[in-house]
Amino acid sequence: MNAAGEAEHLVLLRDTLRRFIEKEMPRDLVGKWDKENIFPRDVHDKLAELGLTGLTVPEEFGGSGRDITATILVIEELCSRSMAVGCAYIQSSCYAGLNLSEVASDEQRAALLPRVASEGLMFAYGFTEPDVGADLASVRTSAVREGDELVINGAKRFCSGAAISEYIYALVRTGPAEEKYRNLSLVLIPPDAPGVTLTPQDTMGLKGGGTFDVSFDDVRVPVSNVIGGEEGLGQGWAKLVGPGLDIEKIEVAAMALGIARGAVDDAWNYAQERVQFGKPICTIQSVRHMLADVKTKFEACRLMTYNAAALVDAKEPAAAETAMAKLFVCDTARDIVLTCQQIMGAYGYVRDFDMERYVRDILVMPILGGSSAIQRNNIANLLKLPR
């Protein structure tokens, strides 16, 4: 292990990624992707060629086997430079790779997991609806069986990456709403299927893959598109809360960690280069204290994120720890980035510097994947605090 406690294969992976980022994701190009809301498909394809989208795919399907810590490391590194690339990687390795590995049918795994490993096939989550956020079991989008098909009607909101994904991984209601948790199913819906309409949302940050409102008007998909096959009908809730939500929390923490690291690195370098009153501003005590604070907070965030990932890798109970990591890292990373912007002064506010993008991207992190308020509720409940 190195001084940061990383195993040798993780050290090599981090070094490989940093070389890849400098070559394939230079700052000027990343700025263009952000300003023009471009998804760099060619960069995503190169990540797949390196085998990085196979870190959640079993070897029998062409991957390198499930390694959550390595996956989190890749997310951190990519997001330290570009959310356009980092979010797409999550849609492939996590949304597609992890869910298919854990809860899909044998036929679905055989058909799709090799494509995740070799092509970087992506899923977009279709969970949130116009009137449904944290209470996912109350989704209203319906899927009614007609023979060997499901007819889907309804709407989803904040469906990130829908236009660049092969499938929308949608939570739908396949039975009476009165039995809230027992009549839900997860269904793969192609975004280009007849009856699917994508309406882009103009968000402050997270440019590249895009975020969409999605409507389903008598959309027909085969019953075989139900996750788990026909036996998966009505089993959506158990499949959703199994591998997906706990790991999603540390995925989002890793995203925030990456953004924070980019901001800390830029502020650290800027403070040594920016000269005022004949000296670099890093010699000013107030600036030194801010730099010391963000470095310290970042280290705490790093330790919490990778501790949670290690617990998941070890198949230890980790629901509370992943919720704690999501809460602490996302809230703290926001504070880190805003402090780094303050260190850079007016230069941290203009689009010519990456700091302005870090600020826009970090502000959503305490909301994604379950808000900070929801995480506090989860932690109190998981630790059995009396109501």
Side-chain angles (χ1 to χ4, degrees):
M1 290 191 177
N2 69 354
E6 289 182 330
E8 183 177 355
H9 79 285
L10 296 178
V11 175
L12 293 173
L13 176 59
R14 195 179 289 278
D15 290 343
T16 298
L17 275 163
R18 290 186 177 180
R19 289 193 298 271
F20 178 90
I21 287 168
E22 290 307 313
K23 179 182 178 183
E24 305 292 346
M25 301 163 60
R27 287 178 183 261
D28 58 341
L29 200 53
V30 169
K32 178 180 174 67
W33 301 336
D34 177 74
K35 290 176 183 177
E36 300 180 16
N37 204 14
I38 294 170
F39 168 56
R41 171 73 69 171
D42 60 325
V43 178
H44 181 73
D45 291 344
K46 289 174 183 177
L47 287 170
E49 290 172 10
L50 285 175
L52 296 179
T53 55
L55 290 173
T56 58
V57 177
E59 293 181 10
E60 63 188 287
F61 298 112
S64 55
R66 172 182 161 129
D67 190 335
I68 301 302
T69 301
T71 303
I72 293 303
L73 186 152
V74 176
I75 295 169
E76 179 201 342
E77 290 297 326
L78 295 177
C79 291
S80 72
R81 180 60 62 87
S82 169
M83 298 303 291
V85 179
C87 289
Y89 177 77
I90 292 171
Q91 289 178 237
S92 180
S93 64
C94 301
Y95 293 4
L98 277 174
N99 285 299
L100 288 168
S101 296
E102 295 287 342
V103 297
S105 67
D106 290 342
E107 292 79 7
Q108 290 164 343
R109 284 195 287 267
L112 296 176
L113 280 174
R115 294 186 59 196
V116 174
S118 64
E119 304 172 23
L121 177 143
M122 289 181 277
F123 287 178
Y125 274 174
F127 299 159
T128 303
E129 296 184 354
D131 296 316
V132 177
D135 185 16
L136 290 179
S138 295
V139 295
R140 299 177 183 176
T141 298
S142 66
V144 177
R145 183 166 187 173
E146 293 185 2
D148 292 330
E149 292 184 318
L150 293 176
V151 182
I152 301 166
N153 285 280
K156 296 293 179 180
R157 176 150 287 174
F158 304 125
C159 191
S160 297
I164 62 173
S165 297
E166 281 75 11
Y167 293 101
I168 298 170
Y169 188 78
L171 185 67
V172 300
R173 185 159 299 285
T174 46
E178 291 75 22
E179 298 186 57
K180 185 174 180 179
Y181 297 96
R182 300 179 61 185
N183 290 304
L184 298 168
S185 303
L186 288 162
V187 182
L188 297 179
I189 305 173
D192 58 354
V196 178
T197 302
L198 305 182
T199 304
Q201 296 171 303
D202 190 9
T203 58
M204 178 185 294
L206 299 188
K207 302 295 186 179
T211 300
F212 297 85
D213 278 338
V214 184
S215 64
F216 305 108
D217 183 11
D218 286 338
V219 177
R220 291 181 175 269
V221 299
V223 172
S224 58
N225 278 27
V226 174
I227 292 296
E230 190 161 354
E231 295 179 358
L233 281 168
Q235 303 300 311
W237 187 252
K239 294 179 182 296
L240 178 68
V241 300
L245 294 186
D246 276 349
I247 295 177
E248 186 184 13
K249 294 169 193 170
I250 48 175
E251 293 163 15
V252 180
M255 294 163 72
L257 188 70
I259 298 168
R261 205 192 75 223
V264 171
D265 289 349
D266 284 6
W268 191 267
N269 293 330
Y270 176 87
Q272 296 175 69
E273 297 167 357
R274 175 68 168 167
V275 174
Q276 289 290 283
F277 305 105
K279 291 182 178 181
I281 64 170
C282 67
T283 63
I284 300 170
Q285 188 179 60
S286 62
V287 175
R288 294 174 73 82
H289 286 182
M290 285 192 285
L291 289 168
D293 282 346
V294 296
K295 280 281 192 178
T296 302
K297 290 177 180 178
F298 177 81
E299 181 66 7
C301 290
R302 187 188 69 82
L303 291 171
M304 285 199 75
T305 302
Y306 284 97
N307 176 66
L311 289 173
V312 172
D313 268 331
K315 300 189 184 302
E316 297 285 343
E321 287 79 4
T322 58
M324 290 176 182
K326 202 283 176 187
L327 168 65
F328 180 83
V329 175
C330 291
D331 282 3
T332 305
R334 177 191 57 202
D335 296 342
I336 288 171
V337 173
L338 292 177
T339 300
C340 290
Q341 184 189 42
Q342 186 178 355
I343 291 168
M344 291 185 62
Y347 291 105
Y349 194 67
V350 297
R351 286 184 179 268
D352 290 339
F353 288 78
D354 292 340
M355 190 64 68
E356 181 268 348
R357 185 180 76 250
Y358 301 146
V359 171
R360 285 187 285 108
D361 287 341
I362 200 65
L363 291 177
V364 76
M365 292 298 136
I367 301 170
L368 286 183
S371 69
S372 293
I374 291 295
Q375 300 311 325
R376 289 185 173 93
N377 288 338
N378 290 341
I379 293 163
N381 293 337
L382 288 163
L383 299 181
K384 303 188 185 307
L385 187 68
R387 294 177 181 270

